[in-house]
Amino acid sequence: MNSSSDVNHSGSSPFCLLGSVGYSSSLNTCLLEVGVILFLTVLIIAGNLVVISVFHCAPLLHHHTASHFIQTMAYADLLVGVSCLVPSLSLLRYLRGLREELTCKVFGYMISVLKSVSMASLACISVDRYIAITRPLSYTTLVTPCRLRACIVLIWIYSALVFLPSFFGWGKPGYHGDIFQWCAESWKTRPGFSTFIVVLLYAPAALTVCFTYGSIFRICRQHTREITQRHARFSSQTEGAQNERSAERCEGCPDRRYAMVLFRITSVFYVLWMPYILYFLLESAGLYHHEVASFLTTWLAISNSFCNCLIYSLSNSVFRKGLGRLFRPLLPSCSTCSTCTEAEKAPAAALPQTDPRCPA
């Protein structure tokens, strides 16, 4: 009787990826996985909801066309957080009636497409900033609202098509579905499909970002050097130099600051995704396979969906003001402090009215 009950209990126990590699397969291991996933899910959903709300409440953020790509990333990351509820409910045994094979395939496909949208959006942001800095006079004619909307639609369509062959048995798009037992044991990666994803998605996005931001910072360094030499040459004309310096700062600094914010977002994205991509390539080539490595690299990469909004909120002054305006009704005690701070900064805030390209 005891042996049969133990068999039934082990057969009814939930599948735990960490428990399948020698760790205790007790409920504590499952709770550890559920805790990690739920923690990231709450952070991702809450963070991106705040980002979307701030963008709707701060009209100054819409002055940059790259903000539309940032919002696209925020919506994609929000859907990533909502999708992460699926493995949590599965580990908690709330999805018993669903077919595990279909569920893990759909979940893995959705996460892969959404993260592809984020990666392609980052590449488009870098191209947008490159055009803004290299061709400032023709920027408005090259980057039109119609072309911007078409680019965002193409990003979603392209991302959906790249991972579509995984449904026809060509390969496995990633390890996002390995929380499900069928994905972890029966759905295998294949070198052909992995090479297909790298060639059509990972490599073009990474090369585009490296080229555009490298060119942007090289141009900014060159402009800074030229301005310094010009000031040294005409240092005797102090008043004229000060006027020229203020005009040149208004011309160069906003684009450079905004490019730095987007560069930080892009850098953190690839830092968090590089372990996942490397492990994906190693397992596809048959060189290395470990369930804990797949779990850690996968959810480290997914955590980037929260880091995007965190970096943007800490780096962009306009976003911080919109964030403070959004939470001011919830923190009435801080409203007086914020109003006093804004009053002290009133003379400095009057500068952007003369030149809208110089946000505070």
Side-chain angles (χ1 to χ4, degrees), residues 5 97 99 174 212 225 244 271 304:
S5 63
R99 290 180 55 189
T212 52
R225 188 183 303 113
E244 184 181 2
V271 166
N304 176 78

Side-chain angles (χ1 to χ4, degrees), residues 7-23:
V7 170
N8 292 333
H9 178 72
S10 62
S12 60
S13 61
F15 169 75
C16 295
L17 190 63
L18 298 180
S20 64
V21 290
Y23 295 95

